[in-house]
Amino acid sequence: MGKQIWKAGNMVYPLPAVMVSTGDKKGNTNIITIAWTGTICTNPAMVYISVRPERHSYEMLKESGEFVINLTTDKLLRATDYCGVRSGRDVDKWKETGLTPQAASKLSYAPMIAESPVNIECKVTEIKKLGSHDMFLAEVLAVQVDESYLNESNKFELNKTGLIAYSHGEYLSLGKQLGTFGYSVKKKRK
């Protein structure tokens, strides 16, 4: 089996496809679909998003220092794609997608997307200029989850929400469990 050498680039896939909602101090809000996002610290809980400075949401993020990461599902796929290919300069993404803005519990300017099963409220702590994108490092102030995904033991069943991922230009559904954390070293019962 041969391998080809390609120019340097990002091939870390799959990635979460999330809708990030933000707002400015004048009351304008927008949704941007982002795949450059992830966890950077557990304690304190911190995440990042990377955004091109020319994007419509960029100035809102910079001015307010707030955003919400809204996890996406198969039911939100069309809206997720739409918010990634249309600019808030040209269209009202809330209206065009039928998504519902909902007040966050700890933020003043960035609304949550009510239809998302998980909303992660974030406060920017640092902006790192990196090149094509600037990275917004943020502390997680609150997480809201859709109660309809709580089981009879009150455990949140995130993997039953229909989460999607983005990989090399395609959206994929997540679903089939292949194992659980630590299964490879778990001792077998006798």
Side-chain angles (χ1 to χ4, degrees), residues 82-101:
Y82 186 90
C83 290
V85 297
R86 293 289 183 244
S87 174
R89 285 185 187 94
D90 305 323
V91 297
D92 179 342
K93 294 181 188 180
W94 297 100
K95 180 182 171 193
E96 295 298 318
T97 60
L99 295 173
T100 310

Side-chain angles (χ1 to χ4, degrees), residues 9-30:
N10 293 321
M11 289 292 287
V12 180
Y13 289 111
L15 298 163
V18 300
M19 289 186 284
V20 172
S21 48
T22 191
D24 63 22
K25 295 179 179 179
K26 297 177 203 94
N28 300 306
T29 62
N30 195 42

Side-chain angles (χ1 to χ4, degrees), residues 40-112:
I40 55 174
C41 189
T42 301
N43 191 11
M46 293 186 73
V47 294
Y48 80 92
I49 59 172
S50 290
V51 181
R52 289 180 183 268
E54 60 269 19
R55 297 292 188 236
H56 181 61
S57 292
Y58 182 88
E59 288 303 321
M60 290 182 193
L61 289 162
K62 199 170 169 187
E63 179 190 313
S64 71
E66 298 179 354
F67 61 89
V68 179
I69 295 174
N70 303 277
L71 297 190
T72 56
T73 65
D74 50 5
K75 292 176 185 169
L76 296 171
L77 179 59
R78 186 172 268 313
T80 301
D81 185 64
Y82 186 90
C83 290
V85 297
R86 293 289 183 244
S87 174
R89 285 185 187 94
D90 305 323
V91 297
D92 179 342
K93 294 181 188 180
W94 297 100
K95 180 182 171 193
E96 295 298 318
T97 60
L99 295 173
T100 310
Q102 182 178 344
S105 65
K106 302 283 184 185
L107 305 178
S108 301
Y109 308 106
M112 304 183 315

